[in-house]
């Protein structure tokens, strides 16, 4: 995970796997005081059920998901 703070937003680049073990770190990186969070998911190769629900929850809370791999988008759409 790489976190880059920009003027008006925080960009978080996720690579590899997002599983339950990484969710706490992701939520901490998003932080409660950050108004705009952009999650860059182009290098994400897998996500477990906890990670998937976390992404959905962050998105519903206003985070923007970018470069979402098609198979992950299908899983997110199935949660709706």
């Amino acid at each position: 995970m790489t976190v880059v703070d920009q003027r008006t937003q925080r960009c978080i680049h996720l690579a590899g796997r997002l599983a339950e073990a990484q969710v706490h770190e992701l939520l901490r990186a998003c932080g409660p005081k950050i108004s705009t969070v952009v999650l860059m998911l182009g290098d994400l190769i897998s996500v477990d059920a906890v990670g998937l629900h976390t992404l959905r929850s962050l998105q519903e809370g206003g985070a923007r998901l970018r470069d979402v791999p098609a198979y992950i988008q299908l899983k997110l759409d199935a949660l709706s």
Side-chain angles (χ1 to χ4, degrees):
M1 176 175 10
T2 305
V3 178
V4 177
D5 285 324
Q6 297 175 337
R7 203 168 163 198
T8 60
Q9 64 188 16
R10 174 171 281 182
C11 292
I12 301 172
H13 177 258
L14 298 175
R17 294 171 173 79
L18 177 61
E20 184 174 3
Q22 293 81 37
V23 164
H24 179 71
E25 183 180 358
L26 173 58
L27 293 174
R28 188 176 37 183
C30 290
K33 296 180 182 180
I34 304 301
S35 60
T36 304
V37 173
V38 178
L39 299 174
M40 307 300 292
L41 304 178
D43 293 324
L44 199 59
I45 60 172
S46 70
V47 60
D48 72 1
V50 174
L52 191 66
H53 284 281
T54 300
L55 289 176
R56 171 58 70 200
S57 177
L58 289 170
Q59 186 178 39
E60 289 173 351
R64 291 182 280 170
L65 307 185
R66 298 286 185 253
D67 302 325
V68 182
Y71 70 95
I72 293 176
Q73 186 63 57
L74 288 171
K75 290 181 177 184
L76 287 168
D77 291 346
L79 291 178
S80 299

